[in-house]
Amino acid sequence: MTQRRLNIVDEMALSRLTPPETKTHEPSHGDWIRILRDSLRMTQAELASRARITQPHLAGIESGKTDPQISTLRRIFEAMSCYLVLEPRPRKPIKEVLRGRARSVALKRSKQSMGTMALEHQAPEAEVFKQLLEKRTYEILTDRREKLWQQPADD
């Protein structure tokens, strides 16, 4: 399978994906349901009825004890006249994730070849190894045919 280059619209969408600025507690979907339900002066029973779920199920979702399906969340929020919007939030910038994975692949490959060289007493010094690692990382990043995600993550 050949990988396609990202078009301008895809690039713009990716640029909007930014990690959270600070590590603050964001309300969970259960928190939002409770906050909105209270603001709308609805009881759990009323909301559950409008969303076509049971009140105990709603209570479990609000408390975080139940992990609902997206379709259930959509019905709950629609019952409160809200849209449900799902949005990915990367833990760190996407380019940083890509570079880290490329570096991990480069490091694994370099260690394999360096191990062989060490057995033959030909291993390069640390600074030379670092430069080779950076070069391999760059080559992996610029070659779109490189497979970065076939091995389990070790980063």
Side-chain angles (χ1 to χ4, degrees):
M1 178 173 88
T2 61
Q3 291 187 353
R4 65 179 181 86
R5 290 218 180 268
L6 296 178
N7 61 38
I8 190 75
V9 176
D10 293 342
E11 289 282 352
M12 288 170 51
L14 268 177
S15 70
R16 288 184 18 227
L17 290 179
T18 57
E21 295 295 322
T22 58
K23 304 251 184 200
T24 59
H25 169 72
E26 290 195 22
S28 68
H29 50 261
D31 294 333
W32 279 118
I33 292 168
R34 184 190 44 74
I35 291 165
L36 288 166
R37 181 179 59 75
D38 288 345
S39 297
L40 292 168
R41 296 187 286 178
M42 272 188 206
T43 65
Q44 281 186 344
E46 290 168 334
L47 178 55
S49 174
R50 290 175 56 89
R52 299 179 318 279
I53 62 173
T54 65
Q55 184 275 325
H57 187 55
L58 179 59
I61 293 169
E62 281 190 11
S63 67
K65 293 178 182 169
T66 302
D67 190 15
Q69 294 183 347
I70 293 172
S71 59
T72 303
L73 285 175
R74 186 171 287 124
R75 285 198 324 265
I76 291 169
F77 283 106
E78 283 176 0
M80 295 186 292
S81 299
C82 293
Y83 294 108
L84 174 64
V85 178
L86 295 177
E87 178 181 273
R89 297 251 176 108
R91 291 183 198 110
K92 51 188 173 182
I94 296 296
K95 288 188 179 197
E96 193 177 312
V97 173
L98 183 62
R99 178 163 173 61
R101 188 61 187 175
R103 187 173 178 85
S104 175
V105 170
L107 183 60
K108 184 174 183 178
R109 290 179 188 169
S110 296
K111 281 183 177 178
Q112 289 170 345
S113 61
M114 293 304 145
T116 303
M117 291 174 74
L119 289 173
E120 299 170 1
H121 304 291
Q122 297 174 351
E125 293 180 17
E127 189 58 38
V128 174
F129 179 79
K130 186 176 176 183
Q131 290 174 350
L132 287 170
L133 182 61
E134 286 302 317
K135 183 176 185 238
R136 280 203 171 147
T137 300
Y138 175 77
E139 289 168 354
I140 290 169
L141 280 172
T142 55
D143 185 354
R144 296 192 63 85
R145 296 170 300 187
E146 281 286 351
K147 306 282 188 228
L148 299 177
W149 304 99
Q150 290 185 331
Q151 282 77 36
D154 39 69
D155 45 358

